[in-house]
Amino acid sequence: MASVSDQSSEDHQPTEIPVVHVYRSRVEQATVQDVLNVLEGDFVEKDTGTISQDDIKFLDVIGNGIKLNESGHYEMFLPFREENPALPNNRSSAFARAMGLKPQLEKDPVKRGHYVTFMNDLLVKGHAEKVPEDELDKPVKWYIPHHGVYNEKKPGKIRVVFDCSARFQGICINDVLLQGPDLINPLVGVLLRFRKGKIALSCDIQQMYHQFHVRPCHRDYLRFLWWEDGDLTKPLKDFRMTVHIFGAASSPGCANYGLKQAGKDNVHIDEDAAQFLQQNFYVDDGLHAADDVETAARVLKGAVKICQEVQMRLHKITSNSDELLAVFPEEERTERKPRDLGKPDKGPMERVLGLQWLTEEDVFTFTQSIKSRPATRRGMLSTVAALYDPLGFISPVVLRGRILLHQTCRDHLDWDDLLPDVMHGAWIRWLDELTALLS
């Protein structure tokens, strides 16, 4: 211990000065294994031990209420903040939304056809049902309006979205639902484990949310209005969803809980397959790697079997190994895209969690067209934010764009001000380099 005070005894009583302590300890030289342990630790999902009271309640409601129903699907309660909440009758609001949708469908026969097909599919598969006449006047109910959304990457395919955030008298269904803890596996961890082995594969659970049913006592909270047989000349009728739906705050938590429960309940089929379902899925997309084809095939077959036990279908299987793909029926595999003759250096490409994977070369790649945007702070932000790179492959290049964007903030440029000449030149040069990199 060393003191910074050295007062003479002849001085009058000294003031008390804080004592500074100096500790010395020898630092051992780090080994290669020490470094690897640190790096690996960055990607291990750790339980922080903290959980909110709402999350505890969610897990209690779902965990104690989940069961296999007569059809073999997992069935769960809706995780309400308060049991069976009394909501106002919002049928009039849902009716107004439906009548606003009607002229859109009448003016666009193509969209109408897609919409009707989607709704009929829900009814045929049992994901929705018509409300029986003797149950129409139940006091506890809620109506969810809906609209159609097209995916620009899947032209001609519509998804009907149920608007669980639609308010009536200041409340919506999402207000009374518990979201639950984040049960989604960390994206970076899933992607890194995907490339640990020589044989890599990806797969998908078909319509994952709709494979988890809602207990009958809660289905009236998921009512909606639709024209029977899709005939717009008929009066609107009451229908209700029987499954957990896109748009509900609780659905991601319920679906991810159900998937992990499937692995837990069927570990006897194959332990590695059960672990795959619990740890290497990011929502409905599963990624896995093994050292050889035999192991990869065993794990995937086990995962398919476990999913079948709870009426889920594992499909869209793809791999960097043709030998592995040959093990599975063609209808369960993704359709191999033909080689692009305009780019002979690149073979078939698959998308795995947003990344572009060249399966023949077994490498990730980037091919993205840079949209023309104004040379403003707003345009810069749109360009930089559009670059999806979760593993940081092109971060050295992206960083330069972010630095330029930061400079506009530092210089207090307004969102739609044109860039100064010097900064504009630097931005254009960066765009040219980025375009060359991604082409």
Side-chain angles (χ1 to χ4, degrees):
M1 180 174 70
S3 173
V4 299
S5 175
D6 188 20
Q7 298 287 342
S8 169
S9 60
E10 297 179 358
D11 294 341
H12 49 273
Q13 194 70 23
T15 56
E16 186 173 344
I17 300 177
V19 177
V20 178
H21 299 279
V22 179
Y23 295 93
R24 291 184 177 181
S25 60
R26 181 182 177 186
V27 179
E28 298 291 339
Q29 183 175 0
T31 65
V32 173
Q33 187 59 47
D34 292 332
V35 176
L36 292 176
N37 290 340
V38 171
L39 292 175
E40 184 177 355
D42 287 340
F43 305 108
V44 175
E45 291 80 32
K46 299 183 179 73
D47 183 2
T48 61
T50 60
I51 187 169
S52 69
Q53 290 300 312
D54 281 349
D55 291 345
I56 292 174
K57 185 172 184 179
F58 175 95
L59 294 173
D60 180 61
V61 171
I62 300 301
N64 292 327
I66 189 171
K67 69 171 187 176
L68 287 174
N69 60 19
E70 293 179 356
S71 65
H73 291 85
Y74 278 125
E75 192 174 83
M76 313 174 201
F77 293 110
L78 288 175
F80 289 118
R81 295 181 182 276
E82 297 180 3
E83 187 174 354
N84 299 326
L87 299 175
N89 187 344
N90 71 328
R91 192 181 191 279
S92 61
S93 178
F95 182 88
R97 286 279 295 268
M99 295 309 292
L101 173 66
K102 182 178 180 179
Q104 298 178 31
L105 299 181
E106 289 175 332
K107 292 178 182 178
D108 190 341
V110 175
K111 181 177 181 179
R112 176 183 174 182
H114 293 159
Y115 213 115
V116 170
T117 298
F118 187 98
M119 300 301 272
N120 286 344
D121 190 58
L122 289 180
L123 294 166
V124 169
K125 291 181 177 178
H127 298 161
E129 62 186 10
K130 186 179 178 182
V131 178
E133 292 291 332
D134 60 346
E135 297 183 26
L136 288 175
D137 295 328
K138 277 189 174 182
V140 178
K141 55 193 173 186
W142 181 263
Y143 291 85
I144 306 176
H146 49 85
H147 60 277
V149 176
Y150 282 101
N151 186 339
E152 61 180 14
K153 296 180 180 178
K154 299 177 181 179
K157 186 175 183 179
I158 199 171
R159 170 178 287 178
V160 175
V161 177
F162 289 88
D163 187 1
C164 296
S165 297
R167 294 187 173 276
F168 179 74
Q169 296 184 4
I171 197 169
C172 69
I173 188 68
N174 276 343
D175 289 341
V176 297
L177 286 171
L178 292 168
Q179 182 175 338
D182 184 6
L183 299 177
I184 300 177
N185 295 313
L187 174 63
V188 172
V190 172
L191 285 171
L192 289 177
R193 289 191 291 273
F194 172 56
R195 301 312 296 124
K196 286 179 66 176
K198 180 181 178 181
I199 307 299
L201 63 93
S202 71
C203 55
D204 173 85
I205 294 178
Q206 186 180 37
Q207 296 184 319
M208 177 174 164
Y209 281 25
H210 289 174
Q211 307 316 310
F212 299 102
H213 289 201
V214 175
R215 288 286 190 98
C217 61
H218 281 173
R219 292 176 183 175
D220 283 300
Y221 287 100
L222 304 178
R223 286 195 187 186
F224 63 94
L225 298 176
W226 181 243
W227 294 271
E228 195 166 10
D229 301 323
D231 186 349
L232 301 184
T233 63
K234 294 182 178 180
L236 286 164
K237 296 292 184 179
D238 285 31
F239 293 83
R240 60 191 176 194
M241 296 298 293
T242 64
V243 297
H244 292 270
I245 59 176
F246 288 96
S250 59
S251 292
C254 292
N256 281 284
Y257 188 99
L259 180 60
K260 294 179 187 296
Q261 188 69 33
K264 181 180 178 181
D265 289 346
N266 295 281
V267 68
H268 59 279
I269 293 177
D270 187 286
E271 185 175 350
D272 292 332
Q275 185 180 43
F276 167 46
L277 290 172
Q278 294 179 80
Q279 297 183 3
N280 289 333
F281 265 76
Y282 188 79
V283 190
D284 58 349
D285 292 306
L287 306 180
H288 185 64
D291 292 329
D292 53 74
V293 173
E294 291 75 17
T295 302
R298 175 181 59 80
V299 172
L300 192 51
K301 284 181 177 180
V304 169
K305 176 63 176 175
I306 291 175
C307 287
Q308 289 173 345
E309 290 293 309
V310 293
Q311 302 303 309
M312 292 192 296
R313 180 191 177 199
L314 203 62
H315 69 151
K316 293 185 179 179
I317 299 170
T318 190
S319 174
N320 59 350
S321 169
D322 290 336
E323 184 180 352
L324 175 63
L325 291 175
V327 175
F328 297 92
E330 186 174 349
E331 61 270 18
E332 301 300 329
R333 310 193 306 249
T334 58
E335 183 180 354
R336 276 292 179 91
K337 300 178 181 63
R339 181 181 290 272
D340 189 344
L341 299 178
K343 298 178 180 178
D345 57 320
K346 294 184 177 181
M349 184 184 71
E350 302 292 341
R351 298 189 70 88
V352 288
L353 297 181
L355 291 179
Q356 298 171 1
W357 180 33
L358 299 178
T359 53
E360 287 187 0
E361 290 81 0
D362 194 17
V363 296
F364 291 118
T365 187
F366 289 83
T367 54
Q368 180 175 338
S369 59
I370 305 301
K371 294 183 179 179
S372 177
R373 295 184 173 93
T376 62
R377 181 180 170 189
R378 190 187 307 276
M380 295 172 71
L381 177 61
S382 297
T383 299
V384 172
L387 298 171
Y388 178 74
D389 181 27
L391 295 180
F393 290 132
I394 59 174
S395 58
V397 177
V398 176
L399 179 60
R400 290 179 53 207
R402 292 185 181 276
I403 290 173
L404 289 171
L405 178 60
H406 174 71
Q407 188 174 342
T408 66
C409 301
R410 185 189 61 192
D411 294 345
H412 305 291
L413 294 181
D414 287 338
W415 283 106
D416 296 308
D417 285 348
L418 292 177
L419 301 178
D421 290 342
V422 175
M423 188 181 297
H424 182 267
W427 176 250
I428 294 300
R429 287 192 296 272
W430 180 77
L431 285 177
D432 291 340
E433 293 174 6
L434 183 65
T435 302
L437 175 67
L438 300 181
S439 61

